[in-house]
Amino acid sequence: MSSIIISINEAKQCFSLTGDTGDVLANRRLMFSLKRLGYDKSNENLIIPYEEHVKIQVLQELQELLKKFNFSEKKSQEVQSSLDSFYQEKATFENFSNQARVIRNYKFDELKQDKNFVDFCQVVTKEFTKREPKDFQWLSAFHMAFSQKSCNFSVPGAGKTTIVYAAYTYLRSVNDIDKKVDKLVVIGPKSSFSPWENEYKKCFGKEITSKRIYGDVDIEEKKQHLASGNPAELTLISFHSVPNLQKEIEVFIKSNNVMLVVDEAHRIKNPDGKNAISILEAGKEAKSRIILTGTPLPNGYQDLYNLYKFIYPYHYKDILKFHYGNLESMTQKQELDSDRVEQLIKNISPFFIRVKKETLQLPSTQEKVITVTMDEHQREIYDFIEGQYVDSFKSDGSATVKDMLNKAKLIRLRQASTNPLLLLQPIIDNLDDGNTDKFLNNEKIADIDIFKKIVNYKEITPNKFIEIKDLLQKKIMPQSEKAIIWTIFIKNAEQLKEYLQLNNIKSELLLGYVNQDERELTVKNFNNPEDLDFQVVIANPFTVAESISLHKGCHNAIYMERDYNCGNFLQSKDRIHRVGLEPDQITRYYYFLSENSIDEVINQKLDEKAQRMSKVIDGEIPLLSILDDDNETDLIQALIESYDKRNH
């Protein structure tokens, strides 16, 4: 039997095969397999390269090939040592995983018997001078501190920022150099920057030194901070800034004891995404890596791939135990409680925690539908457009699929049901969701008489505006309360602001084009119950759906109109209904619907979708793609049914 000796060159990151290499070269099938491993020939040696994070996998594959083709193999002492270290690390990691799983499955009363948890609480309580975490936050933070590398998939409003600060506080106190952190780097949307800074003060009772890195900051200023020998404790980096600063961020992380957090981490789900690739590469040397997102599976089970690759770049395959293609297959088959999903959850469970909505035990809410009668001009405009569009839906088979022209028609109907004046403008000028390029070809109003009525509508105040003003003046402002008004359309927000101003109601806008500093100042003042300089903000759910909390100062939400995106709708509700409310505080939602219009159809279908989504969200890892939030087919069918019922 031919014999091969396997040696290793750590400096050059390669394995060297010596011995009967001539027999290896003569074996075409074996050489074909070695070619796949990228072999090279050096004198009498065969060289097999490897990357550090897959070194053992390459070695094991090499051993299997030699055995398969009947070669005996001997290992150098260095190779044997690498294998021994690998198996020791694997056993240690498995033990560590089991401990992490035990912690996440603790009941809080059981957890209080754990001495390590008691010590953890003492450290955090000493530093948290202004905030006492909830029971579920204590458990989540302890698990995060123990794991150091973990995902928190808790629903919006669970206090994920507080949980991170508690874990950070403990890891900042330890003496173990492999665990100790003293710098926090958060990669997330710009809207998350202010909450991270503000929450620190609410937890610790003092300001944190912070540095923001995003598009408007000079590139040299960014690099100077990342190269600083004494940087701020908190560094906030926008997603889009990472690719151009990847090397500098890597050096910063290597030079400091960093806890690296990716906030709203569903944004790095794409394995081929430029931002995601840079973030995963830059974060490999961080002492602690944390994923935060309330929607871990916006598209499917495959979205977990990058999240776990981030927290464990060298172990994620061992943790998941499913290839990317397997995860895509599970999504395509819409598996919710299959054996494969159950196994996946078991595999990943040591390193994630999800606090569900019911666990929050939030105070009660009240919801009220306010039906608004259209004025005669709006009624005539709306009825004409609806009649035309319903006829086209009935005659056009594409009305049963995702079709941009049909989406444009539905947008036009929603505009007509609130404010017909919007029909004069291109859809692209009215949406704030970053996808307006889809609607460059708009539905035009061809009828000249209807067009004139729309033009003349500038002399009329929409009845929804009037009803909203009355609600503010009669029920909300006299109680020194505040309200957030949600609207899909930018021009509606601007015109409503002007109308309220004419009626001595001051309001501020939270829209995408509003300067970041202005937006943060608006949120800060609005969140202060004592500050009544303005009691109303008008917001767009695409802009304010993530990262912003408004529950400290506001307990009333008014929906002037809604689209069919249930995810954005539920997230908008969570802006004012979250952890931190007083037990007796009632949160109120008002839905303004134009009578006999698409508003009523959306309200009905959105309620049904929200109930389905709530059931899905109750899962350990909610597969939101099963709801297909962009598909408006059933809305079109419901609109046709409603129209026929009203007109026959």
Side-chain angles (χ1 to χ4, degrees), residues 3-7 72-76:
S3 178
I4 293 295
I5 300 170
I6 306 176
S7 303
S72 68
E73 54 97 352
K74 297 179 182 179
K75 296 179 286 291
S76 70

Side-chain angles (χ1 to χ4, degrees), residues 1 8 54 103 135 155 183 199 226 330 416 458 489 511:
M1 178 183 289
I8 188 170
V54 292
I103 290 173
D135 289 356
V155 296
K183 293 291 183 287
E199 287 301 307
L226 293 170
M330 291 159 64
K458 63 178 178 287
F489 303 114
L511 302 175

